[in-house]
Amino acid sequence: MANDREILREIWEGKLPVCFKLDSDEVTDFREPDPFYLMVPRLSYFPLVTDKVRKHFLKYVANDKQEQEMWLEYNGQPLKWHYPIGVLYDLLFGPEDVLPWNLTIHFEKFPETEIYKFSNKEMVESYFMACLKEADVLKHRGQVANKFDQFWSVNRKLMEVSAEHEHFKYIPFRCYIDDGYRQKLVKPLTSDGRKKNTARFDKRDVPWQKY
Amino acid sequence: MDMHLTLENFTKCIEDIVKISDLLMDGWILKEKQGVENGKYIVKRCTTQLTKPDDKDIKVLVTFEYHIAYQLSYGVPVICFKVWKHDGLLFSLEEYWEFNQDLKEHNMYDTLTQLDHPVLCQPFLTLHPCRTQEIIQPFLENSKNPVISWLSVVGLFVHLNLLEEYLKNC
């Protein structure tokens, strides 16, 4: 793990240029608000980076809408804020699209059947911890921040195999396909007993093909 | 060695629940999403009145939609649900907490939280599955239907009452 430190740091520091615009139907001020530009980390979540965006657009929407939860849309699809930003970008950004990534801001008609409400940061943390817990159950049978070094001092422990078991129980992974994602129990060993990682996944491990 | 409720066993259990429900006209329906390993789950809707624990005068009529599905990573059943008020709006997590004293004393974000439905991948209020194994473990040997036994324990937390007929079958 430690040998790849340079690559891990590159991935950690990956950022995307995003241009946020308020949906023109929701503007009640006589002035059109300026778009808001931001470099956002790929390895983060939108609710953690959009405080300033919300503040910027708030004064242009109707008073009674200001208390409502803000949500983001790209090409008619609400962004699932509980997916990492980089995953959303890879899923939704088409080959013809150009950067910066143009996202539309909404305060009205929150699509509550499709995306989570996030009334506070604890909600984001709670979702993230639930994912972490699930991964830990898959790896260790459940026995066991935002600065790179702090993250790895914790993550190293999560990535260790326990003393009694030579390998993780299963490899925790998700395949984000279409509107949702798929998961499967895959052991970190091949049938002939060699170590397996996601690079060695075959069709049986990930049988969901995208057409 | 830990015993787990297998996916096959889970599927049999929920199919049996639907059979009992059909006799009682209790409303459980079996659904299936094609192409998903754990695609089978059951759904029931019912309307009930909630009372605020700290102010008995505040009552609200709501409709619950319960889903019981299989969580592959934990190898356990999961109960998740949506709650509608009668103006058609969904209950948020916080609103639901206000009406549920049983959950108040625990760390709420760890117990009842918003999670993805294990099959539909959409946000639902969910009793977090991380303690389910502990609850269901003793039933795996002794119960004919561990899913019913487990529901008889956790259902109370989410206003789901089981009719006696179910308990006779576990």
Side-chain angles (χ1 to χ4, degrees):
Chain A
M1 198 65 55
N3 317 343
D4 304 327
R5 203 174 164 81
E6 279 312 300
I7 297 166
L8 293 172
R9 186 174 279 278
E10 284 286 314
I11 293 172
W12 183 264
E13 286 173 357
K15 286 200 160 102
L16 287 166
V18 178
C19 170
F20 298 92
K21 286 182 187 140
L22 182 61
D23 181 16
S24 51
D25 290 344
E26 294 187 27
V27 180
T28 51
D29 204 272
F30 62 91
R31 300 158 297 167
E32 274 287 312
D34 289 331
F36 196 93
Y37 292 87
L38 210 59
M39 290 295 286
V40 297
R42 282 184 60 102
L43 292 185
S44 186
Y45 295 88
F46 274 115
L48 303 180
V49 297
T50 47
D51 274 354
K52 280 183 188 161
V53 182
R54 184 185 166 86
K55 218 177 252 172
H56 173 74
F57 290 115
L58 213 51
K59 51 184 175 289
Y60 297 96
V61 299
N63 280 335
D64 59 322
K65 300 288 187 300
Q66 293 188 358
E67 289 300 304
Q68 310 226 14
E69 278 163 52
M70 186 178 89
W71 56 284
L72 306 167
E73 173 232 303
Y74 184 61
N75 281 347
Q77 276 197 58
L79 291 194
K80 299 186 175 184
W81 62 260
H82 62 292
Y83 288 7
I85 293 171
V87 170
L88 286 171
Y89 171 79
D90 295 340
L91 278 175
L92 301 172
F93 199 78
E96 309 287 308
D97 302 348
V98 283
L99 286 174
W101 194 15
N102 283 300
L103 299 180
T104 309
I105 296 284
H106 295 272
F107 286 85
E108 293 175 28
K109 298 187 190 115
F110 192 92
E112 58 183 5
T113 56
E114 287 173 78
I115 54 177
Y116 291 85
K117 290 219 164 189
F118 56 97
S119 27
N120 53 45
K121 296 247 160 73
E122 281 78 49
M123 210 77 105
V124 187
E125 188 185 345
S126 152
Y127 182 82
F128 179 75
M129 292 308 285
C131 290
L132 209 60
K133 241 192 230 173
E134 185 178 339
D136 190 51
V137 167
L138 287 168
K139 286 186 293 191
H140 302 115
R141 300 154 199 264
Q143 283 156 12
V144 189
N146 77 345
K147 299 262 172 17
F148 181 78
D149 294 315
Q150 281 176 8
F151 171 77
W152 274 101
S153 71
V154 174
N155 199 39
R156 193 164 294 122
K157 289 181 201 148
L158 296 175
M159 295 302 287
E160 274 168 8
V161 286
S162 58
E164 313 95 271
H165 305 287
E166 217 177 311
H167 308 283
F168 289 154
K169 189 177 169 202
Y170 298 109
I171 301 174
F173 73 100
R174 275 180 185 172
C175 276
Y176 291 89
I177 302 172
D178 302 329
D179 208 20
Y181 52 82
R182 305 287 160 79
Q183 288 177 267
K184 205 170 182 303
L185 300 179
V186 177
K187 289 201 187 312
L189 285 180
T190 59
S191 50
D192 51 355
R194 283 182 305 147
K195 272 199 174 178
K196 173 145 95 181
N197 56 27
T198 45
R200 292 215 185 120
F201 273 7
D202 59 31
K203 269 205 164 155
R204 262 172 315 174
D205 302 328
V206 276
W208 322 286
Q209 281 212 332
K210 203 176 171 179
Y211 296 102
Chain B
M1 184 64 201
D2 274 3
M3 272 178 49
H4 270 273
L5 181 72
T6 60
L7 179 57
E8 292 72 36
N9 200 351
F10 168 80
T11 310
K12 190 185 168 299
C13 286
I14 56 169
E15 283 168 354
D16 286 346
I17 291 177
V18 172
K19 274 182 211 154
I20 303 167
S21 166
D22 285 349
L23 289 174
L24 303 168
M25 297 209 282
D26 192 36
W28 285 105
I29 299 165
L30 185 69
K31 302 231 177 187
E32 183 170 12
K33 185 171 173 182
Q34 295 296 330
V36 178
E37 198 176 348
N38 54 335
K40 281 191 178 169
Y41 61 97
I42 53 173
V43 179
K44 179 189 171 175
R45 274 193 186 207
C46 53
T47 298
T48 180
Q49 190 180 48
L50 297 181
T51 310
K52 227 174 203 175
D54 42 5
D55 187 350
K56 302 280 184 229
D57 292 334
I58 301 182
K59 296 182 194 315
V60 58
L61 198 61
V62 294
T63 298
F64 277 86
E65 183 179 296
Y66 297 103
H67 290 233
I68 296 170
Y70 189 75
Q71 220 287 356
L72 221 46
S73 305
Y74 287 88
V76 297
V78 162
I79 180 154
C80 54
F81 58 99
K82 292 187 176 188
V83 192
W84 284 274
K85 286 171 281 189
H86 278 208
D87 56 3
L89 288 175
L90 278 174
F91 248 28
S92 72
L93 189 55
E94 287 86 352
E95 280 176 292
Y96 183 71
W97 280 338
E98 281 176 26
F99 284 94
N100 201 324
Q101 202 162 32
D102 296 332
L103 291 164
K104 274 246 151 109
E105 286 143 35
H106 303 280
N107 185 347
M108 294 185 291
Y109 282 106
D110 285 349
T111 316
L112 185 83
T113 182
Q114 287 186 108
L115 281 182
D116 284 333
H117 187 293
V119 182
L120 302 174
C121 303
Q122 287 168 2
F124 273 73
L125 301 177
T126 307
L127 273 184
H128 197 280
C130 63
R131 305 292 294 275
T132 305
Q133 178 60 26
E134 280 172 47
I135 298 171
I136 209 167
Q137 181 93 34
F139 299 129
L140 293 176
E141 275 180 65
N142 303 322
S143 172
K144 277 184 281 175
N145 191 324
V147 176
I148 294 180
S149 306
W150 159 76
L151 274 179
S152 71
V153 178
V154 300
L156 286 173
F157 286 101
V158 295
H159 299 93
L160 177 68
N161 291 314
L162 287 183
L163 295 167
E164 213 181 312
E165 285 303 311
Y166 292 100
L167 303 176
K168 289 179 186 157
N169 284 281
C170 68

